[in-house]
């Protein structure tokens, strides 16, 4: 498994550059690595729901409020992202137990320690076949597995995600969201995206879900949606 997005939170720019150089030599790291040398940059950044990190390396001396507090702020906005704490003091390992899932490496960071940390981080990533959409609700990011998402309804650019056990809303264009979701999601109306795994019946006017929920089908999208549903039933859609 490959890490696609990594954040490094390190006060010292020289240390951050060394860390970045080591990471880029590893085949397990293929993607964007973002470095933060000041806590205020981390606090004020606009989190993109499509670019949350797979793993965060956090110096326990990072920022005015130290690394544990900075880590808590990340978790509040991003959820339970794996965190690898770093410190020159081995006794600091006791501080990390309040933050889960967490890992500790002693500074200066060695290639062997970094490799072990990445392996640990891989074990805390969702399975590759477990696709999910990440949305923000009330200032916090919420991860919704696509296999649990029944449909999405959009009204005035507010998309409401309806799953088997949860419902949440976020400001996002349905056109943008359609590009993020896997191929089993059907655009049957300007205001609806439907998970075809939950469709019981498909008519000219409505889609009936197994839950009993009716979803409108627009005239302009009926033929295209019907053809895509046929391909889905025959197993012809790409994964």
């Amino acid at each position: 498994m490959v890490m696609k997005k990594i954040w490094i939170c390190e006060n010292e720019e020289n240390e951050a550059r060394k860390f970045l150089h080591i990471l880029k030599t590893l085949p397990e790291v293929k993607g964007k690595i973002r470095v933060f040398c000041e806590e205020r940059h981390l606090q004020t950044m606009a989190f993109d729901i499509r670019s949350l990190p797979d793993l965060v390396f956090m110096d326990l001396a990072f920022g005015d409020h130290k690394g544990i507090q900075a880590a808590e702020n990340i978790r509040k906005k991003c959820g339970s992202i794996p965190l690898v704490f770093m410190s020159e003091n081995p006794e600091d390992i006791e501080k990390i137990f309040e933050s889960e899932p967490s890992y500790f490496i002693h500074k200066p960071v060695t290639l062997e320690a970094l490799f072990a940390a990445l392996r640990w981080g891989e074990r805390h990533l969702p399975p590759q076949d477990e696709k999910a959409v990440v949305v923000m609700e009330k200032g916090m990011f919420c991860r919704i597995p696509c296999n649990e998402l029944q449909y999405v309804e959009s009204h005035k650019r507010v998309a409401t995600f309806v799953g088997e056990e949860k419902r949440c809303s976020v400001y996002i264009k349905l056109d943008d969201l359609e590009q993020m979701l896997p191929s089993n999601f059907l655009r049957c109306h300007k205001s609806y995206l439907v998970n075809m795994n939950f469709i019981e019946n498909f008519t000219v006017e409505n889609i009936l879900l197994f839950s009993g929920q009716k979803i409108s089908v627009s005239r302009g999208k009926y033929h295209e949606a019907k053809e895509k549903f046929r391909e889905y039933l025959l197993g012809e859609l790409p994964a």
Side-chain angles (χ1 to χ4, degrees):
M1 189 175 292
V2 175
M3 294 285 176
K4 295 182 179 178
K5 303 180 188 73
I6 291 177
W7 290 356
I8 301 171
C9 300
E10 165 65 64
N11 284 332
E12 300 295 330
E13 289 190 25
N14 288 336
E15 288 297 317
R17 280 197 290 268
K18 291 178 185 178
F19 200 103
L20 183 62
H21 176 73
I22 296 174
L23 274 177
K24 287 184 174 180
T25 65
L26 297 175
E28 290 78 13
V29 180
K30 291 184 179 179
K32 185 174 182 179
I33 303 174
R34 188 160 190 172
V35 177
F36 298 91
C37 292
E38 295 185 39
E39 188 178 7
R40 62 187 178 90
H41 293 157
L42 185 63
Q43 291 174 343
T44 59
M45 71 170 290
F47 288 91
D48 185 339
I49 64 174
R50 286 167 287 185
S51 61
L52 295 181
D54 296 319
L55 186 67
V56 177
F57 287 93
M58 174 67 69
D59 191 328
L60 278 170
F62 178 75
D64 296 332
H65 301 94
K66 305 307 178 185
I68 290 293
Q69 183 60 52
E72 289 180 5
N73 293 337
I74 291 175
R75 287 267 169 83
K76 287 178 182 178
K77 293 184 177 181
C78 304
S80 297
I81 289 174
L83 283 157
V84 176
F85 290 100
M86 306 175 293
S87 175
E88 296 178 352
N89 185 0
E91 295 179 0
D92 283 345
I93 192 171
E94 298 179 2
K95 300 177 182 179
I96 76 170
F97 291 119
E98 296 180 2
S99 183
E100 296 291 342
S102 301
Y103 190 84
F104 181 86
I105 54 179
H106 182 245
K107 296 177 70 176
V109 178
T110 64
L111 184 62
E112 292 77 11
L114 186 55
F115 187 76
L118 289 171
R119 288 298 186 196
W120 171 84
E122 287 176 358
R123 294 196 297 271
H124 289 81
L125 289 175
Q128 288 183 317
D129 59 352
E130 186 184 325
K131 296 180 180 178
V133 62
V134 180
V135 299
M136 177 180 277
E137 181 186 20
K138 297 178 181 177
M140 294 182 63
F141 285 98
C142 178
R143 181 179 177 278
I144 303 176
C146 291
N147 61 350
E148 297 178 7
L149 182 58
Q150 296 182 7
Y151 67 95
V152 183
E153 180 179 5
S154 179
H155 180 65
K156 294 183 179 180
R157 292 195 177 185
V158 177
T160 299
F161 295 75
V162 181
E164 294 183 72
E165 297 182 355
K166 64 171 60 178
R167 177 188 291 258
C168 59
S169 299
V170 62
Y171 281 97
I172 187 172
K173 292 180 180 179
L174 211 59
D175 289 343
D176 293 339
L177 182 61
E178 187 176 6
Q179 302 302 312
M180 297 165 58
L181 291 170
S183 61
N184 59 295
F185 279 81
L186 178 69
R187 185 73 176 270
C188 60
H189 190 279
K190 67 177 183 179
S191 301
Y192 288 99
L193 279 163
V194 182
N195 187 342
M196 289 187 281
N197 294 332
F198 291 92
I199 294 179
E200 181 177 12
N201 195 8
F202 190 114
T203 70
V204 176
E205 296 182 348
N206 295 295
I207 287 174
L208 179 65
L209 304 185
F210 289 111
S211 64
Q213 175 71 38
K214 284 187 177 182
I215 306 295
S216 297
V217 177
S218 65
R219 290 183 181 181
K221 293 188 177 294
Y222 170 71
H223 292 291
E224 181 182 350
K226 180 182 178 182
E227 178 60 20
K228 187 174 180 181
F229 186 55
R230 184 194 70 81
E231 293 174 357
Y232 163 79
L233 293 176
L234 295 176
E236 297 177 356
L237 284 179

